[in-house]
Amino acid sequence: MSTEEPSWLDVEEQETWLAMASVLVRFPAALDAQLQRDAGISHFEYQVLAGLSMTEGRTLRMSDLAEFAASSLSRLSHTAKRLEAKGWLTRTPDPSDGRYTLAVLTDAGWDKVAATAPGHVAEVRRLLIDPLTKAQYKQLREIGRRVNGAIGPMSCPSARTT
């Protein structure tokens, strides 16, 4: 246990942290509310479907999809089970390595993403892009990359930013 005095936040640093902490809670809740209202799915379910829709063959290993969605494998497995029941994805053993399971977006899942995406993008634009200037959202992108870098590397190629 360290006996060093912590490097306490000054007033400006504390205001920055509190503003960011509020965004971290409120932004996902706002996206979730829009998706629930307009598409009957959670933000997490949409992340899973959209993540698959952006990959070649609409297929990812469950472990990579979990990282893309910032989720545990357990949470993703429960969600995948619900999405399978709706016919939006299937799971199958990875033919190149049977220790892994692949998540595959079905045609119905693709249709769900395609139908949901316009409303979701409009909400992201309303909440994040439109209130900022172009310079501010470029700064925010760089801030996000730096903070993610401080958190640690992402091993899923589709989760990386360039």
Side-chain angles (χ1 to χ4, degrees):
M1 183 156 180
S2 176
T3 58
E4 285 184 37
E5 183 71 13
S7 178
W8 297 107
L9 301 179
D10 65 28
V11 171
E12 188 174 6
E13 291 168 335
Q14 187 176 40
E15 288 174 357
T16 301
W17 161 240
L18 292 175
M20 187 66 202
S22 179
V23 167
L24 292 172
V25 172
R26 297 182 72 219
F27 189 71
L31 293 177
D32 197 59
Q34 177 272 320
L35 286 164
Q36 288 286 354
R37 179 186 68 241
D38 296 346
I41 61 173
S42 71
H43 183 238
F44 182 70
E45 290 169 328
Y46 181 77
Q47 277 185 281
V48 169
L49 296 173
L52 288 170
S53 77
M54 294 184 285
T55 63
E56 189 167 328
R58 301 185 217 165
T59 302
L60 270 178
R61 283 183 173 171
M62 289 284 287
S63 54
D64 289 339
L65 185 56
E67 183 163 344
F68 173 82
S71 170
S72 68
L73 269 173
S74 175
R75 179 181 184 200
L76 178 60
S77 291
H78 289 292
T79 299
K81 184 176 183 178
R82 285 193 310 275
L83 297 175
E84 278 183 308
K86 294 177 180 183
W88 296 338
L89 74 76
T90 59
R91 289 180 285 180
T92 184
D94 185 338
S96 66
D97 188 338
R99 297 175 296 171
Y100 295 98
T101 299
L102 298 177
V104 181
L105 187 67
T106 64
D107 289 341
W110 174 262
D111 291 345
K112 182 64 175 177
V113 170
T116 303
H120 177 65
V121 170
E123 189 71 348
V124 169
R125 177 169 295 287
R126 184 182 77 80
L127 296 173
L128 182 67
I129 303 302
D130 291 347
L132 304 177
T133 66
K134 189 170 190 172
Q136 288 172 325
Y137 65 75
K138 285 181 177 181
Q139 289 172 329
L140 185 58
R141 179 178 60 230
E142 182 58 28
I143 290 165
R145 288 175 177 167
R146 286 179 180 237
V147 171
N148 276 318
I151 292 168
M154 292 188 233
S155 63
C156 176
S158 61
R160 286 192 199 115
T161 56
T162 55

